[in-house]
Structures are given as structure tokens and as C-alpha cells.
Amino acid sequence: KLPVSNFVSTTYHDTGNLRTGAAGEYKWAANGGRGDINSPGSYNGIFDQHGLIITQRFNELVGHAANNVGNTTSYAYEHAGIGLDFEGSWEVGCWVHAGTLQSMGLRADTSMYMHNYWSGKDCPGQIRKKGLWSATEQKVDQHIAELVEFLAGGDEKPDVPVVVYAKPDP
């Protein structure tokens, strides 16, 4: 389970860069791409078709939402790898949001937001451009149901993505 907190939702972001994966996005951010080398991302994790890189602890705030309510109530995940393997990275993202929401006993249709909800920004741009928000909510809720069934003693283990923790900079 994730730490007890005020967090009651997740926020779906994307990098807007069609040519980079999660490792490239993390490297760019960790090297000061966000203007602060001590904060390698204004999100809790970056995912692509290969898995999820955790970038910030889940018990600390990240300034991702463009407003205080979003920042203090929502975990943030950045979708990378969009131009490299959209379907694969989208599938991983749906699992990432599903795992987080399931651990809090929540559903996507009530507790997962586009970054646009908080900021008005066209983000996640590719999900919005492709008209996939409803499909994303449905897929995440389907994965939540698979996790719930498995955790209740079901036989089939869900095919969840790989998680990698970024090395903290001392």
C-alpha cells in the first residue's frame, strides 16, 4: 500500500516529446532540464513501454498540477515513449495508474485526472489528440479489476510492468 496521506487521485501527464523514453526524460530532468538539478521531475514517476521509473518519494509533494489542490491530492505520472511505442507505453501507463488507484481503493473513472483538469494545459496531449481518455479510464478500471481479483486469490497473475527506482543524488 502507498503511504497514508491526503492523496486521493492520480494525474496523467505526457512529456510532449515524441522522441524520448522514460530513461531519456529522467536523464534530461536530473541534469537540470527542469531548471533544478535537485528535483529530477515534477512527478512521482516516468513510464514508457519498458516500465516505470520512480522519481520522487510518495510521501512528498511534487509541483505537477499547476495548483495547490492538484499538487496536494494527486500522484503524478509522466508518459514518455509516445513516439517510440505508443501502444506499449500507454499499456504500461494504464497499469501504473491502476496499481496506484487500486492500492488506495479507488477507480479511474472517479479518481484519475488529465493534467488538463488542474492546469488547462493540453496535457496529456497525445491521449487528448487521439481521443483516448475514455478508453484510458476503461482500461485502467479493467486493470484495477484484474488486480483486485488476483489479490483476492485469483489464479491468473496480471502482467504488470517493471518498476525501477531512480538513484537518489546524495
Side-chain angles (χ1 to χ4, degrees):
K1 282 203 156 218
L2 292 173
V4 176
S5 69
N6 294 329
F7 290 85
V8 293
S9 64
T10 62
T11 299
Y12 200 116
H13 296 261
D14 75 25
T15 65
N17 183 344
L18 300 179
R19 297 181 304 273
T20 187
E25 175 71 11
Y26 176 76
K27 183 177 179 181
W28 171 80
N31 287 329
R34 296 229 181 273
D36 180 0
I37 61 172
N38 296 314
S39 179
S42 295
Y43 29 73
N44 298 97
I46 310 165
F47 61 89
D48 64 12
Q49 68 274 22
H50 301 295
L52 169 69
I53 299 172
I54 301 295
T55 58
Q56 298 285 129
R57 292 185 297 268
F58 288 94
N59 63 351
E60 65 186 18
L61 296 177
V62 295
H64 71 93
N67 70 48
N68 191 52
V69 174
N71 290 341
T72 59
T73 63
S74 189
Y75 293 113
Y77 298 107
E78 184 89 357
H79 185 168
I82 296 165
L84 307 173
D85 177 359
F86 180 82
E87 291 295 323
S89 59
W90 181 54
E91 178 67 18
V92 169
C94 289
W95 276 112
V96 167
H97 285 274
T100 304
L101 292 168
Q102 184 279 325
S103 76
M104 296 186 290
L106 302 171
R107 296 181 44 84
D109 60 356
T110 59
S111 302
M112 181 176 71
Y113 298 98
M114 290 186 275
H115 181 208
N116 173 270
Y117 175 81
W118 306 113
S119 68
K121 182 179 177 184
D122 187 23
C123 181
Q126 295 305 308
I127 296 289
R128 292 169 57 82
K129 186 182 292 181
K130 295 174 186 293
L132 290 175
W133 187 247
S134 276
T136 302
E137 289 178 319
Q138 291 169 9
K139 186 178 274 274
V140 170
D141 281 337
Q142 173 190 340
H143 290 334
I144 289 170
E146 292 172 44
L147 290 169
V148 168
E149 182 178 330
F150 176 71
L151 293 170
D155 294 334
E156 192 169 332
K157 182 178 183 228
D159 186 22
V160 298
V162 174
V163 176
V164 176
Y165 292 89
K167 281 188 167 182
D169 190 21

